[in-house]
Amino acid sequence: GRFGFVEAAPVAKSIHYTKPTNTGNNMTIGLPMTAWEVSPSIGDEIAAYDESDRLIGSTVFNGENMALTVWGDDLTTTTKDGLAIGEKITLKLWNSDMNTESTLVVNKWDQGGDTYTVDGISIASNIGLLSSSSAYKLYQNEPNPFNGTTTIKFYVPEDAEVSIGVYNMLGEYVAQVTKDVFTTGKHSVRFD
């Protein structure tokens, strides 16, 4: 392909998603680095599902252009074990840091689209996260409980002023951690 997609090196074995079944026919979905609105972290995993939520493809994000193989239905068997021609593909992203899964939305395709064709090649040109992450999220601080220092991670769906405070077990305000403007995405702040 013109992007020079590389299959992920064998070390990058997915740990969150199981390996889909090789059904004998597939298509390739190209996920160029330039397409991501917010780039995943290395080690995050991308999975593809069919309309009945069956895993039909998975790969590990390696910081480069990626090719995700998705498997079609093996027509020599009576069970449906992959995508039917024309079936819609859903992409999900597992965040290895946060252990959270988000749905990916391809807002624009350079080539092809999100439906299955045997030996097809689809190339995404703009990949965003579904609005499920349009929520502000505050993740569990680590370590917790802490003695001295802890790291607090959070996600903001848009550029915004974020104010984080620390409270004790009685719900009494102890200190302010941050009151800054943060850009869209995931952040972490240290609290001493």
Side-chain angles (χ1 to χ4, degrees), residues 37-89:
E37 281 182 1
V38 177
S39 171
S41 305
I42 290 176
D44 288 0
E45 295 177 27
I46 296 147
Y49 290 90
D50 68 7
E51 289 175 17
S52 33
D53 269 347
R54 178 185 292 100
L55 181 79
I56 40 102
S58 66
T59 188
V60 179
F61 185 73
N62 59 3
E64 296 169 37
N65 293 339
M66 295 172 59
L68 173 62
T69 301
V70 294
W71 295 95
D73 185 23
D74 178 353
L75 299 174
T76 63
T77 62
T78 48
T79 51
K80 185 177 179 308
D81 42 21
L83 289 156
I85 289 167
E87 190 172 357
K88 195 173 176 323
I89 301 159

